[in-house]
Amino acid sequence: MAVRKPPVTTREYWAPGHAACAGCGCAIALRLATKAFSEAMEEKYGDPNAFAIAQATGCMEVVSAVFPYTAWKVPWVHVAFENAAAAASGIEAAWKKKGIKGKILAIGGDGGTADIGLQALSGMLERWHNVVYLMYDNEAYMNTGIQRSSSTPYGAWTTTSPPGKYSIGEDKPKKWVALIAAAHQVPYVATASIGNPFDFIKKVKKAAKVDGPAFIQVHCTCPTGWRTPLEKGVEIARLAIETGIWPLFEIEYGDIWNIKIQPPGGGAKVHKEGGRVVRIEFKKPIEEYLKLQGRFKHLFKRPEAIEELRNQIKAMWKVLGVEAILPKPEE
Amino acid sequence: MPIRTVMKANEAAAWAAKLAKPKVIAAFPITPSTLVPEKISEFVANGELDAEFIKVESEHSAISALVGAAAAGVRTFTATASQGLALMHEVLFIAAGMRLPIVMAIGNRSLSAPINIWNDWQDSISQRDTGWMQFYAENNQEALDLILLAYKVAEDERVLLPAMVGFDAFILTHTVEPVEIPDQEVVDEFLGEYEPKHAYVDPHRPITQGTLAFPAHYMETRYLVWEAMERAKKVIDEAFAEFEKKFGRKYQKIEEYKTEDADIIFVTMGSLAGTLKEWVDKKREEGYKVGAAKMTVYRPFPVEEIRELAKKTKVLAFIEKNISMGLYGAVFTDASAALINESEKPILLDFIAGLGGRDVTFDQLDEALSIAKKALEEGKVEKPISWIGLRKELL
């Protein structure tokens, strides 16, 4: 009887027993990322352990390293909130001088990456350090209790973007750090999601194997901050892909003209011209994604806000060179 | 053979770094320290120094990268000043808390506002509570020597704390003075290899560094830093003694000058000590019983040495280029704390001088002397603090 090879190594680097909330999507992302990373290191250097982590302050840091305990089976360093990329630069430089073969994985949330850590990230990318930066994007400052970040999507409730008589909730479009990273023309930039773990594993391995810097922005759900059922994380993340809210793409050396778009699934029709994706007809309306989450509940009383969000998503796809056709729910 | 040459303090700092052979350097240019990374770039470009030089996008990332590198177990170096040091502030606590012996050169410069590139000590004095040791150089030779000494003490297993070495902006950073460059072999022997047992990033010995600590553990980590700083006092003395044996130059936490039989002793740090000694010579000739003392080590604070010094005089006056708003200068305040429970102590005075690069002249020192003399005659003082060299017409 043939045994199917598991999609990624069964070795664990992110041990069970960490203190993340039940149903945490980011914990899934980190577990998969470290597995994929070790597999890539094994393939590239013949040593599955040839990596170390520099991590920014945030949920995943405080839940995994509470003295005297640690969830990390790899060398792991935390310095502060805004400097994971800089700390990773230093570790990478030390490894170079010590002749240690391998790659550094820098990890930060959306707050530590899109906001306070953006400058350090930019420096790390332009200096061409041999580091993969993984931004786990749960779309708000969750560690401090759900405050908006520049990665918070339009219309979302957070404690600092509450809907009210004069407020729709978050009123700015989401900032896409992956595109800012791509502007540095680094070897590899990708978006990923825990809603498509196979794609995510593949991308982490790709990023880990390139020579030079890489950046991955992975969408991960946060039941606590999104006000969602604990067991629905992966399903919700998948709906983000299928409705067009979360694009999956790869950009190599900043070559946006040759952006690789991964098909969203969920019945969406992908049209190509000359090998490029030019149009996607989504089948599922964004409402299917929104309605499962408490953070968007108030939008259903404000149909014009949902329309605005739809327009913003179209505009985001346009930046990627794709015409997105987003259906409305069955009227 | 040591080489006798002339150079600026910035170059001396770069030379010290070259001699110490750090593996990772990360720096961001800032006046007046810019020449340090420039010179180091040259050393690296010419193959004279085998180090990774990370050209970071800010001082915040400079120190963050060094925390990463030092956590990975290598010797590190950086140089900064003023706003750059202020930008590093939060990470300085982390470097000390993680027990990483990073060494940093500071071209002591004022803090904004108003923006001003000239000398005072406000930048490094403002970092006094971070857990970094602090040394202050009187001249360019001291800038070089103290950086080597800083490595020696910082990397000692009884200490394991970062250290900064300050030298005055422009007065030293940009001024050419005679400097003796020691032999590489002797420096190698003095410093040895840095191979930490507590900090490494090794794929085959994974450890977790920089964890969260709950109230059940945090306080002890702070105590251990404090205790290491206390232990550093003895280690510094040992390092000074060994340095003198190897290089022939003598260092002390507090260096005294003509303090025997002095009624008034002026204490200062940095390049001002040179001015002060010359002025003391002049005053001695005029018949005044004054002495001078130079503080080389500000953190850990030389409590014992201050107590010894205080026993020798009737008035102990501090001249310092910094001010703690709402109180006095920091050196005076710390020294007062060191003397607080002494049964007998001299009258203590504080003189704030030379902020933002204003020259501290003999005339200003005379002004301080007249205030000190009055205190001596009256046997008491109303207000211990005086600002000297102020332009009254601007106030």
Side-chain angles (χ1 to χ4, degrees):
Chain A
M1 195 182 114
V3 180
R4 259 183 65 191
K5 188 176 175 288
V8 72
T9 177
T10 52
R11 287 188 302 266
E12 297 289 352
Y13 293 91
W14 160 264
H18 57 73
C21 305
C24 172
C26 302
I28 297 175
L30 263 53
R31 181 170 169 239
L32 291 178
T34 46
K35 282 168 172 281
F37 215 91
S38 93
E39 215 164 66
M41 292 301 97
E42 189 170 30
E43 289 165 21
K44 188 163 178 170
Y45 299 108
D47 179 0
N49 293 333
F51 70 109
I53 294 174
Q55 188 158 342
T57 311
C59 280
M60 294 300 96
E61 170 260 331
V62 301
V63 303
S64 64
V66 181
F67 187 84
Y69 305 105
T70 182
W72 296 102
K73 296 184 176 184
V74 273
W76 182 92
V77 178
H78 158 256
V79 184
F81 191 14
E82 67 292 75
N83 58 4
S89 304
I91 297 169
E92 184 251 17
W95 272 25
K96 249 190 218 168
K97 275 286 155 284
K98 290 185 108 160
I100 298 175
K101 286 231 172 321
K103 197 159 183 136
I104 311 299
L105 172 60
I107 300 174
D110 51 292
T113 308
D115 294 349
I116 196 168
L118 190 68
Q119 171 184 310
L121 171 68
S122 177
M124 184 206 95
L125 293 172
E126 66 86 9
R127 290 192 304 268
W128 227 254
H129 290 280
N130 196 26
V131 177
V132 175
Y133 193 105
L134 178 70
M135 167 184 174
Y136 65 91
D137 188 358
N138 55 17
E139 303 188 323
Y141 291 81
M142 299 310 183
N143 188 35
T144 43
I146 325 164
Q147 292 81 28
R148 63 87 64 184
S149 80
S150 59
S151 210
T152 301
Y154 176 85
W157 160 89
T158 69
T159 59
T160 51
S161 62
K165 194 170 166 188
Y166 299 104
S167 166
I168 187 68
E170 174 55 40
D171 62 350
K172 308 285 188 306
K174 181 182 173 85
K175 166 171 131 188
W176 284 90
V177 184
L179 293 173
I180 299 173
H184 294 74
Q185 300 176 42
V186 292
Y188 188 77
V189 170
T191 56
S193 167
I194 61 159
N196 189 343
F198 303 102
D199 176 74
F200 177 46
I201 290 164
K202 206 166 70 197
K203 284 169 171 172
V204 170
K205 285 181 74 170
K206 223 179 203 177
K209 281 187 191 174
V210 298
D211 292 317
F215 177 88
I216 296 179
Q217 182 172 353
V218 60
H219 198 217
C220 36
T221 48
C222 172
T224 311
W226 293 10
R227 303 297 195 244
T228 56
L230 302 183
E231 72 287 1
K232 288 215 179 280
V234 173
E235 186 185 328
I236 288 168
R238 181 174 286 271
L239 277 167
I241 305 166
E242 291 174 344
T243 58
I245 292 244
W246 189 271
L248 293 178
F249 60 77
E250 293 169 297
I251 302 171
E252 293 178 58
Y253 293 98
D255 186 0
I256 189 97
W257 294 100
N258 287 310
I259 185 171
K260 290 197 189 74
I261 311 268
Q262 283 77 46
K269 279 203 186 70
V270 179
H271 301 271
K272 288 187 175 181
E273 276 174 26
R276 271 178 59 91
V277 174
V278 292
R279 197 165 70 255
I280 302 177
E281 288 179 66
F282 288 92
K283 197 162 162 47
K284 293 186 177 176
I286 60 170
E287 281 84 348
E288 288 201 24
Y289 169 74
L290 303 176
K291 73 182 181 201
L292 294 172
Q293 304 175 50
R295 64 174 173 157
F296 294 121
K297 200 170 115 197
H298 58 282
L299 295 185
F300 286 89
K301 298 191 196 90
R302 309 275 289 271
E304 76 284 1
I306 296 186
E307 247 357 86
E308 169 61 23
L309 181 58
R310 231 189 295 276
N311 288 333
Q312 284 187 17
I313 295 162
K314 284 180 196 165
M316 178 268 298
W317 278 101
K318 202 171 167 196
V319 170
L320 306 178
V322 177
E323 184 196 355
I325 295 155
L326 303 177
K328 293 192 179 175
E330 302 297 325
E331 272 111 14
Chain B
M1 280 298 288
I3 304 161
R4 291 194 62 80
T5 178
V6 292
M7 61 173 78
K8 300 166 184 166
N10 276 340
E11 291 170 302
W15 269 97
K18 177 175 178 288
L19 290 162
K21 297 181 181 168
K23 292 261 195 313
V24 177
I25 296 159
F28 187 78
I30 185 168
T31 303
S33 298
T34 314
L35 184 56
V36 184
E38 283 178 347
K39 194 78 196 159
I40 285 171
S41 301
E42 266 174 52
F43 289 146
V44 173
N46 300 332
E48 295 171 71
L49 173 60
D50 179 24
E52 277 297 308
F53 182 26
I54 310 176
K55 288 122 187 171
V56 280
E57 84 297 332
S58 71
E59 290 89 354
H60 194 287
S61 284
I63 191 67
S64 302
L66 292 194
V67 167
V74 299
R75 192 173 282 163
T76 58
F77 181 76
T78 188
T80 189
S82 184
Q83 307 300 124
L85 185 56
L87 185 59
M88 291 182 177
H89 181 68
E90 60 143 355
V91 186
L92 299 183
F93 282 92
I94 296 167
M98 288 173 75
R99 310 300 296 273
L100 303 172
I102 298 163
V103 170
M104 166 155 67
I106 309 293
N108 282 119
R109 170 189 148 186
S110 66
L111 285 170
S112 281
I115 187 166
N116 167 296
I117 57 170
W118 294 274
N119 164 242
D120 61 37
W121 313 326
Q122 197 67 55
D123 51 1
S124 52
I125 293 277
S126 298
Q127 313 307 324
R128 71 173 183 178
D129 302 335
T130 54
W132 282 60
M133 292 180 283
Q134 293 196 9
F135 301 83
Y136 289 81
E138 182 191 335
N139 53 48
N140 298 359
Q141 184 68 57
E142 289 195 4
L144 189 149
D145 292 351
L146 287 171
I147 288 170
L148 298 179
L149 277 157
Y151 277 111
K152 180 77 177 170
V153 178
E155 292 172 2
D156 190 295
E157 283 199 347
R158 293 165 292 174
V159 180
L160 291 174
L161 288 174
M164 54 180 79
V165 175
F167 39 91
D168 292 329
F170 296 99
I171 302 168
L172 297 180
T173 59
H174 288 60
T175 302
V176 174
E177 289 183 346
V179 171
E180 183 177 289
I181 303 168
D183 261 346
Q184 184 67 62
E185 294 77 42
V186 186
V187 173
D188 288 348
E189 212 177 286
F190 179 66
L191 288 184
E193 288 282 316
Y194 174 56
E195 280 175 3
K197 296 190 187 78
H198 71 298
Y200 47 84
V201 177
D202 179 346
H204 301 288
R205 291 186 298 162
I207 55 167
T208 293
Q209 294 183 69
T211 63
L212 169 73
F214 274 42
H217 295 104
Y218 178 84
M219 195 160 165
E220 284 70 24
T221 66
R222 301 302 290 159
Y223 175 79
L224 290 169
V225 170
W226 182 85
E227 193 186 45
M229 197 62 104
E230 287 294 298
R231 265 201 305 271
K233 293 173 180 177
K234 182 167 162 272
V235 179
I236 289 168
D237 286 338
E238 287 173 21
F240 283 173
E242 193 185 333
F243 190 91
E244 191 181 354
K245 254 201 275 231
K246 281 203 160 65
F247 303 96
R249 287 184 292 277
K250 186 179 170 69
Y251 284 93
Q252 292 165 285
K253 293 202 198 87
I254 293 184
E255 186 186 297
E256 298 180 24
Y257 185 76
K258 298 192 176 175
T259 51
E260 60 291 345
D261 81 326
D263 290 332
I264 303 170
I265 296 176
F266 285 94
V267 187
T268 192
M269 307 197 298
S271 63
L272 187 50
T275 312
L276 192 62
K277 284 185 252 183
E278 279 213 28
W279 175 81
V280 162
D281 286 345
K282 187 166 172 273
K283 291 294 126 180
R284 283 277 178 179
E285 280 166 26
E286 290 168 17
Y288 291 99
K289 286 181 158 184
V290 293
K294 173 180 79 182
M295 200 184 284
T296 303
V297 185
Y298 173 63
R299 277 290 180 277
F301 195 78
V303 172
E304 293 305 319
E305 290 80 358
I306 281 285
R307 284 179 189 163
E308 286 310 304
L309 188 67
K311 284 174 189 158
K312 297 182 175 175
T313 185
K314 299 189 179 98
V315 176
L316 193 58
F318 295 84
I319 306 184
E320 48 185 322
K321 297 180 179 181
N322 75 94
I323 178 69
S324 175
M325 294 301 176
L327 191 62
Y328 311 127
V331 184
F332 168 83
T333 311
D334 293 351
S336 303
L339 298 169
I340 191 72
N341 290 329
E342 297 295 283
S343 50
E344 298 228 341
K345 49 179 170 286
I347 293 169
L348 298 168
L349 297 176
D350 191 18
F351 296 103
I352 308 300
L355 301 191
R358 179 156 304 176
D359 267 344
V360 182
T361 60
F362 279 16
D363 286 350
Q364 288 176 32
L365 295 174
D366 288 342
E367 190 187 333
L369 181 60
S370 69
I371 294 168
K373 247 178 57 210
K374 188 166 171 280
L376 180 65
E377 284 154 13
E378 292 174 2
K380 62 176 179 24
V381 67
E382 285 298 302
K383 199 175 61 156
I385 186 169
S386 316
W387 289 57
I388 55 172
L390 281 178
R391 294 178 56 190
K392 305 267 190 309
E393 73 275 18
L394 295 180
L395 298 173

